[in-house]
Amino acid sequence: MKLKTIYLVIVISGLILGGCSKLEPAATAEPAATNAPAASATAVPTAVVEATQEAAAPTPIPVPTQEPTAALPAAAEALSTDAGGVVNITGLVTYTHPFFTLGVAAPVVILEDQAGFVDRNEEFLMPVESQTLGQITSDFFTSPFSYSISLPIEPQGSFRDVDHDSNSDLGVQIYAVAYWTNTFGDPFLEERDLFGGGWSTAYASTRVSEDADLEREIVGGKFLVYAPDDQQGFPEGFGEDGLLFTDDDPIVLLPQGYTVVDLDVEPFTFDRGRHQQIDLVEPEGAALDDYSQLSYTEAFESLVDQMRLEYAFTEYKGVDWDQLYETFLPRFQEADQNSDATLYRRALRDFSWMIPDGHVSGPFVTEDFWAAAGDGIGAAIGELEDGRAVVSFLLAGGPADQAGIEFGAEIQTIDGIDITQYISDTVSYFGPYSTPHHKRHDQLLFAMRFSAGQELEIQFLNPGSSAPETAKITAVQEVDSLNFWFKDGDRDGFELPVEYELLDNGIGYVQIFSFSDNAVLTVQLWERMLQAMNDNDVSALIVDMRQNGGGRGFLADQMAAYFFDQPLVLGNSGGYDEDRGEFYFNPDYEDHFYLPAEDLRYHGDLVVLVGQDCASACEF
């Protein structure tokens, strides 16, 4: 998989503090990680070598235009095992990234044609015929999961002459074992699944350099190489420049058939054992930063140190990490001194609330939430544009109703405090927030939550009344006015990720409920809807995302591509680069639309509905 941008996710003494951005699978990320195929990737009807590799008579292949002019040393001297060539590969895929499986429905482990890397062509698309799909042989949703690939007798990948002599040879086929997720089309990977092409930088048998000067260069791991005969050269080292497939590589001749090349030793070793164990590599940039073995104080200090460097919006959001450190350090020290996990969780939660970013998530302290929100007076309020707070829900027979408060009444004061100030002083337990209006929205909820038995003095003005009234009201245990806030339209939990219909006026209507559901199902429903709209000449479409909490940004972007005829540039994503010591945006990695088939594009009038609950990828 190709690693694009990643989530900042940090485990502190076993708890996760989450950040933003995405892991997009490439070959998770988005988790890779993150794309899913339109059909199962486990049925692979390829011929399997059951005899020794020498016994398999390959189909005749083109003869090189020239014979080698000089004899090369054979790789046999570096063979750790020679049982005639590889016939089967198994291994494990370990992931710690918490969003690795998000939306994934058809994960794939595949032989990934490395001609793109040999050519340094980041737009190289693996030919379908080269894609040997493996089988996932354990629960994908439990890390690590296992896989198995049975090799075809003669693979159909891209030949590359990599011996860098003056002769033109047929060359070899070079593969990495790589994890991808297939979302679009058939079980094989297409341009959209491949994020435009290239080669894997994450969750593959190869390792990519973390060095800024060697960006995306493969510097370790293992290749599977297929030689059509015993006259093809292959590097046995990186050479003086430290790069593969360049002029200074030392070259050896490979035996005919499959050989596993270990790039982590110098010179490389060559293994022709029949059954190979190759585990895929989770790169440092995708792995979870785990502080769970540290003390509470040490974990907090490590977190702040990391955030000082790696949090992208420090200046934009005006975060003063030094001040936050001084403010919260005593609370973490107290939690350490008392070995008190609850004190720690509260300190970490309150610390996260000070970062105005809706993608930051501290621990949710359930007991504190219910203490703050479990009881009420049977009323909820909403705030009008002119600043008035009015009753938007009234429980029949509840304390507020019995006190004479009517639906639509204006609440003016609570315990003598002006309602506007009272709301501003209210603590919301759903923080942190990126925007003041979202915070204000949730403060309205908690402003009308009290402790059972608490006596309140409320001044209110009923609709049609000319004079305000004051009532003393005692809070009780009731959740009806709380549940009023959580009503999610007409959703009952049985919705598909995409649901659509034709309205009576002939306008199409589609609801997208999530970008984190089964990605294959989401795309299939989306394409079926658009096909139906086009087939029936529906001239206008309403896309309703008012109840869409987000998910994978790449999926949201590419679903929008069905309304366009040009691969428009959508922006660029960057992250903190340890080697550069700064944030880096690679100009070659701009995000853009990958256009679907023309018959699936929709060109009618379009209206998009968003609202309070449209968040994250929904906003993309």
Side-chain angles (χ1 to χ4, degrees):
M1 105 195 250
K2 189 191 302 176
L3 180 64
K4 297 192 82 177
T5 55
I6 63 169
Y7 288 91
L8 173 63
V9 184
I10 303 161
V11 171
I12 310 176
S13 294
L15 299 176
I16 295 175
L17 182 63
C20 65
S21 215
K22 61 189 176 184
L23 174 69
E24 297 292 7
T28 29
E30 107 40 85
T34 94
N35 304 353
S40 170
T42 57
V44 190
T46 54
V48 179
V49 179
E50 294 296 347
T52 65
Q53 202 66 33
E54 288 83 347
T59 304
I61 54 177
V63 177
T65 57
Q66 297 181 28
E67 291 296 328
T69 57
L72 291 170
E77 299 176 3
L79 285 176
S80 56
T81 304
D82 189 356
V86 187
V87 299
N88 169 264
I89 299 172
T90 58
L92 297 175
V93 182
T94 301
Y95 58 86
T96 61
H97 196 290
F99 301 111
F100 181 88
T101 61
L102 182 69
V104 175
V108 179
V109 176
I110 191 171
L111 290 188
E112 178 184 283
D113 192 328
Q114 295 299 290
F117 174 66
V118 176
D119 300 342
R120 302 318 197 262
N121 176 12
E122 296 186 12
E123 297 180 356
F124 174 80
L125 297 175
M126 286 182 281
V128 169
E129 58 271 20
S130 79
Q131 298 180 29
T132 298
L133 307 183
Q135 299 80 37
I136 291 177
T137 54
S138 69
D139 178 16
F140 168 74
F141 296 96
T142 300
S143 176
F145 66 88
S146 57
Y147 76 89
S148 177
I149 299 178
S150 298
L151 304 184
I153 293 176
E154 185 174 338
Q156 302 299 306
S158 309
F159 283 100
R160 289 295 184 270
D161 181 4
V162 295
D163 60 15
H164 289 274
D165 61 12
S166 58
N167 300 310
S168 176
D169 303 314
L170 179 63
V172 295
Q173 296 179 30
I174 306 167
Y175 298 94
V177 183
Y179 162 76
W180 285 89
T181 176
N182 189 337
T183 301
F184 302 93
D186 61 26
F188 296 94
L189 304 178
E190 60 172 84
E191 182 182 25
R192 290 179 289 179
D193 297 310
L194 295 169
F195 299 94
W199 59 93
S200 285
T201 58
Y203 302 99
S205 62
T206 49
R207 290 186 296 104
V208 173
S209 175
E210 302 281 343
D211 189 322
D213 295 329
L214 298 175
E215 189 170 25
R216 300 197 68 178
E217 286 292 323
I218 292 174
V219 295
K222 293 181 178 180
F223 279 135
L224 175 72
V225 181
Y226 174 80
D229 55 34
D230 60 1
Q231 296 299 307
Q232 306 303 319
F234 192 85
E236 66 167 350
F238 289 97
E240 292 185 5
D241 64 5
L243 304 176
L244 266 179
F245 310 127
T246 55
D247 289 341
D248 68 348
D249 294 349
I251 302 296
V252 294
L253 288 176
L254 290 181
Q256 187 274 332
Y258 289 106
T259 302
V260 169
V261 182
D262 188 340
L263 311 177
D264 289 328
V265 294
E266 187 78 24
F268 302 159
T269 58
F270 301 82
D271 190 337
R272 288 173 51 81
R274 291 167 59 80
H275 304 288
Q276 297 283 332
Q277 167 85 25
I278 300 179
D279 297 335
L280 305 194
V281 180
E282 181 177 50
E284 181 180 344
L288 191 72
D289 290 310
D290 187 352
Y291 297 153
S292 61
Q293 301 305 309
L294 303 178
S295 70
Y296 296 149
T297 302
E298 291 170 338
F300 172 67
E301 291 173 336
S302 296
L303 171 63
V304 174
D305 287 343
Q306 182 173 4
M307 297 293 271
R308 282 191 182 105
L309 288 175
E310 299 185 21
Y311 182 66
F313 308 112
T314 293
E315 183 177 353
Y316 176 70
K317 293 180 177 290
V319 181
D320 187 334
W321 297 111
D322 293 336
Q323 182 182 19
L324 291 179
Y325 175 80
E326 295 297 332
T327 300
F328 283 92
L329 179 63
R331 294 182 58 179
F332 287 94
Q333 291 172 331
E334 181 184 2
D336 259 336
Q337 292 163 3
N338 295 284
S339 299
D340 191 325
T342 300
L343 286 179
Y344 164 72
R345 292 167 62 228
R346 285 174 174 150
L348 184 56
R349 175 200 63 193
D350 294 352
F351 172 75
S352 74
W353 283 353
M354 301 304 293
I355 306 170
D357 189 326
H359 278 91
V360 170
S361 178
F364 187 78
V365 185
T366 305
E367 57 268 37
D368 288 358
F369 168 78
W370 285 112
D375 309 312
I377 61 171
I381 58 174
E383 195 166 35
L384 305 182
E385 289 183 356
D386 60 11
R388 290 180 297 149
V390 299
V391 174
S392 54
F393 171 85
L394 188 68
L395 177 64
D401 184 31
Q402 293 179 9
I405 296 177
E406 299 176 4
F407 181 82
E410 177 188 345
I411 303 299
Q412 295 182 331
T413 66
I414 296 179
D415 288 341
I417 302 173
D418 179 79
I419 189 62
T420 300
Q421 185 62 47
Y422 189 89
I423 295 168
S424 297
D425 294 340
T426 298
V427 175
S428 169
Y429 284 75
F430 293 151
Y433 298 96
S434 294
T435 57
H437 66 268
H438 190 188
K439 179 179 181 180
R440 186 75 174 183
H441 178 270
D442 285 355
Q443 285 176 314
L444 290 167
L445 181 165
F446 286 94
M448 299 301 287
R449 311 310 302 167
F450 310 99
S451 300
Q454 180 179 352
E455 188 176 82
L456 308 154
E457 184 177 88
I458 298 180
Q459 180 177 300
F460 60 94
L461 180 66
N462 278 330
S465 296
S466 58
E469 304 174 55
T470 300
K472 290 187 180 295
I473 305 176
T474 301
V476 299
Q477 289 185 338
E478 63 87 13
V479 294
D480 294 88
S481 58
L482 176 65
N483 289 335
F484 164 77
W485 282 90
F486 300 139
K487 284 185 178 179
D488 207 356
D490 298 323
R491 296 185 68 177
D492 57 13
F494 287 89
E495 294 80 17
L496 294 170
V498 175
E499 294 189 351
Y500 57 92
E501 62 179 310
L502 188 65
L503 302 179
D504 292 339
N505 57 9
I507 294 176
Y509 174 78
V510 58
Q511 287 180 285
I512 308 174
F513 289 109
S514 175
F515 294 112
S516 59
D517 206 321
N518 181 314
V520 172
L521 178 61
T522 300
V523 170
Q524 288 178 337
L525 290 169
W526 184 245
E527 291 186 342
R528 188 178 189 276
M529 180 271 296
L530 292 171
Q531 188 71 66
M533 296 296 167
N534 286 335
D535 289 348
N536 290 278
D537 296 321
V538 175
S539 62
L541 177 65
I542 298 170
V543 180
D544 188 346
M545 297 194 295
R546 289 174 294 176
Q547 299 176 47
N548 186 313
R552 293 181 53 225
F554 179 81
L555 181 61
D557 287 346
Q558 300 314 316
M559 288 173 68
Y562 290 73
F563 301 120
F564 294 86
D565 288 317
Q566 295 179 336
L568 303 175
V569 173
L570 306 179
N572 200 346
S573 299
Y576 183 78
D577 188 300
E578 289 187 2
D579 187 62
R580 290 182 172 90
E582 61 182 3
F583 286 88
Y584 176 65
F585 292 76
N586 189 319
D588 296 329
Y589 296 170
E590 288 182 324
D591 296 324
H592 59 83
F593 287 141
Y594 297 105
L595 299 179
E598 287 190 26
D599 64 338
L600 289 174
R601 302 177 202 170
Y602 181 79
H603 297 98
D605 293 336
L606 189 68
V607 171
V608 179
L609 303 180
V610 296
Q612 180 69 35
D613 294 324
C614 171
S616 193
C618 179
E619 297 170 294
F620 279 31

